[in-house]
Amino acid sequence: MNDYFKLQNVLFCEDDKLATHWKMFFHGSQPAYDRQNRCIVIGAGQVVDFCTYFNSIALRKWRTYTWADKLILKLRVQGKIEICLTGYEKEDNRYIRRIVARKKINAEEEKEIWIPYPDKPLELAGFEVHALEYSTIFEGEYGTEVQADKRNHVSLHLITTTFKKEEYILPNIELLKKTVLTEKRLEEISDRESLAKNFWIHVVDNGRTLSPEQMEADHVQLHPNLNTGGAGGFTRGMLESLEHREKPTNVLLMDDDVLVLPESIIRTYQLLRIQRPEYKRHFISGAMLYYEEMERLHEDVGYVNRTGEYGPLKSRINTAKIEKVLRREGQKKNPDTAYAGWWYCCIPVEFVRKDNLPLPLFIRGDDVEYSLRNKAEFITMNGICIWHKGFSNKFNGAMEFYQVHRNSLILQAASGVCRNIDFMDRISKLVRVNLLRFNYDGAEQLLDAVEDYLKGYHFLMKNQGEKLMKEESSKNEKLISLEHFPEAPMKPYEVYNDTPRKPLETFLYRITYNGHFWPSCLLKKQVVPVAYDWFYSPHLYFFRRKLLVVNPAMETGAYREMDRKRFIRILRRKHRIMKQYKETHTHVEREFREHRDEMTSESFWRKYLEIDQK
C-alpha cells in the first residue's frame, strides 16, 4: 500500500511507573509483558480489550481534523487468536459499543496482519484479542491511506524550560533521545519526513546549572538563560527555534517537571503531517494527568469563568473508565476565555512570530494570555498527554494570590481579553475571606498584586520576577509535620468536610468579621483543624481565636491566630488601594494596551533576556 500512513502505535504499558495502572492501556485481562522481546503474551482463554484511553483511537476526531478517512489495524502476531474490531457509536446522549468485524488468525510463525475497519460513524475505535491458545503480539498500530500530495512537511521544535530540576529534565531528554530521536544515527534514516529527522529539542536552562555535555546531541540544544520564569524561558526557546537552520512549522511547549510519554509526541507529529488545511491554525492541547494519581486526568483545555477562576473546561475523569473517556471526548464548544496550558501545547508557527511573543509575566497566566490574544482554537486527543508532578498537593500563596491575580489584571488590560470578568471584585472578596480565616499573609499578597499592577507597564518591563517571587514566597505559610500539633486530625482529609452554619451564626460572622469586632472573652479557645488551601469552611472558623491549617496530602500544618491590630491595618490598606484603583485604573489600563506590542516584540525580549540583538 503506497498510500499507507501510520496514525498511532498500540502501547504495551512498558514503563514500570505505569504497570499498576494497566487499565489505562487494557481492559478485561492484563497481558504479560515480555521485557526481553518487547512484546505482550496472552494466555489461552484470555480476552484483552484495547479500547482504552491509550489504545483506542479517536476516529471521529481523526476524520475531522485530518485526511484519515479510512482506518486499518496492523498487528504483528503469533498464535491462534480471534480479533474483534470494536468501537462506540453515539446515539442521542448514549454511547453504544459495537463489534464491527471479526477475524480469526492462525499463525504458527510470526505474521503481520492488516484488518480494515468498515465505514462506521464511530467516536472511538479499538479492538479485542481473544486468545484461543498461548499467543504473542509483537507490535501494533492504527493506520490509514493518504496520498502523498495531501501530506504536510512538518518541522516540530520542542521547547522545555527548566530551573534547577535536573532530576526531571535529564531523564526526560534521555528518554526522547532513545525513542523519538531513535538510537541509530539520524543520517542513516532514509525517510526524509520521519519524526527523527524533523524533531528538534531546545532546553532553556533558567538556572544555568546544566552543561552541554549532559544534554546536547544531534537535534538537542541547550540555551543558558536568565531566570525569567516560564514566560522568559519559553520566549527564549521561541526565538532560538525561529533562528534555527531548520525553520519550525510548529512549536511544542512542555514543562520540565513532567513524565512524558514519547507516543504523545509521535501522535502529535502524525496528526500534523495529514492535518486538513482548515485546522492548521489550531493549537494541539495535551492533557495534564496527576503524577500522584496517574489515572486521573485534570485538564486538557482550561478556561476563565465569570467570577475570574481558572480551571478545566471539562470534568476531571478517571481514564481507566472508558465511559468517562468517551463523554470527555465529545466535542464541547469552547468559550472565548478558553486556553491551552503550556505543560504540553503545540502551536503553529503562524502565531510564533518575533512580533507576537508572550508577555513578560514571569510565571502564571502567560499561556492564558497567549491563547486568548491569538483567539486560539484547540485540538485534543486521548493519549496526547503528560503527567505533571506535584500539581495535586501544592497550594502556594505567592502563586495563587499574588502572581495569578496580578497577571489577571495585566492580561486583561494589555490584551483586552476577559472583558466581562471583574477580577477586582474577586480580589476584594478573597481579601475578606482570608481576613475571616486569619490568613493575613494571603490577604497581603492579594493587595500586593493590585498595588504592583497599578505601578503600570514600566513595572512589568523590569526583569525583577525572581526577586518579587522571593519576596512574596517569604509570606507563604511555613507548614511543618502534623506530629507537632496535638489538635491534628487522625484522618487529615476530614478537613474538607464542612457543616452548614446556622442563621444567627452567619449573621454574627458577617457583622463582626468573624469575631474581630467582638469581645475576646466570648471567643472559643478550642483549636480546630481546617484546610490550608482554597477550601472555605466558615462554620469551623466561627468565633475561634486560633486555627490549625492542614495540608492533608503532605500531612503538614501551621497555626493561624486572630490578630486584631494586623486585621485593622490590612483593612485600611485595602480601602486605600481600592480607592487608588478606582481613580487610576483607566489610565493604567490604557498604558498597558498602548505598550503591549512593545512588550511582545523581539527587541524588547532580547534586551530583557540580555541576549545579542539580531
Side-chain angles (χ1 to χ4, degrees), residues 448-554:
D448 290 346
V450 182
E451 201 163 57
D452 285 350
Y453 163 72
L454 292 175
K455 293 174 183 176
Y457 82 97
H458 288 293
F459 180 79
L460 187 64
M461 293 179 76
K462 297 175 184 176
N463 184 4
Q464 55 185 338
E466 184 176 20
K467 171 178 167 288
L468 290 170
M469 279 304 300
K470 286 179 180 177
E471 291 173 359
E472 293 300 326
S473 295
S474 69
K475 300 175 185 178
N476 289 346
E477 286 177 306
K478 308 301 185 288
L479 277 62
I480 60 175
S481 172
L482 287 177
E483 296 174 354
H484 295 87
F485 303 99
E487 304 88 355
M490 293 292 292
K491 298 178 180 179
Y493 280 95
E494 287 183 350
V495 296
Y496 292 120
N497 299 330
D498 190 25
T499 306
R501 288 175 290 174
K502 298 174 183 177
L504 178 60
E505 192 177 88
T506 301
F507 174 73
L508 292 173
Y509 183 84
R510 289 175 177 172
I511 67 166
T512 68
Y513 263 86
N514 190 24
H516 284 92
F517 299 121
W518 194 253
S520 295
C521 60
L522 298 179
L523 298 178
K524 301 172 186 178
K525 294 181 180 180
Q526 183 185 4
V527 177
V528 294
V530 299
Y532 83 117
D533 50 18
W534 290 111
F535 192 79
Y536 186 52
S537 47
H539 171 76
L540 295 176
Y541 312 145
F542 178 65
F543 277 21
R544 302 283 174 183
R545 297 182 183 182
K546 191 175 185 178
L547 301 170
L548 171 64
V549 294
V550 173
N551 177 349
M554 304 301 291

Side-chain angles (χ1 to χ4, degrees), residues 177-235:
K177 287 179 184 177
K178 290 180 178 179
T179 54
V180 179
L181 290 175
T182 75
E183 294 184 17
K184 62 182 179 179
R185 293 171 62 85
L186 288 167
E187 57 266 29
E188 295 174 2
I189 300 173
S190 59
D191 181 4
R192 289 187 177 183
E193 297 299 338
S194 71
L195 173 56
K197 288 233 175 192
N198 294 286
F199 183 62
W200 310 84
I201 300 175
H202 301 270
V203 179
V204 181
D205 180 17
N206 278 358
R208 297 186 173 186
T209 53
L210 297 170
S211 66
E213 293 74 25
Q214 290 174 293
M215 184 70 58
E216 293 195 329
D218 286 344
H219 288 229
V220 182
Q221 288 183 290
L222 177 67
H223 308 290
N225 199 47
L226 294 179
N227 184 19
T228 47
F234 285 124
T235 301

Side-chain angles (χ1 to χ4, degrees), residues 287-353:
M288 191 274 277
L289 288 82
Y290 292 126
Y291 185 84
E292 295 82 1
E293 302 174 72
M294 300 192 88
E295 295 174 4
R296 301 291 300 178
L297 191 157
H298 171 72
E299 180 182 312
D300 55 14
V301 175
Y303 83 118
V304 193
N305 70 16
R306 291 182 179 179
T307 63
E309 293 177 284
Y310 297 78
L313 180 62
K314 309 168 196 171
S315 58
R316 296 165 183 164
I317 63 163
N318 183 342
T319 57
K321 297 181 178 179
I322 193 63
E323 64 277 7
K324 301 288 187 185
V325 175
L326 276 161
R327 295 203 173 275
R328 208 168 194 283
E329 283 299 301
Q331 284 187 327
K332 187 170 185 176
K333 183 174 173 56
N334 294 328
D336 60 7
T337 58
Y339 61 87
W342 283 357
W343 48 75
Y344 188 104
C345 180
C346 184
I347 305 174
V349 77
E350 173 183 346
F351 298 103
V352 183
R353 304 188 313 270

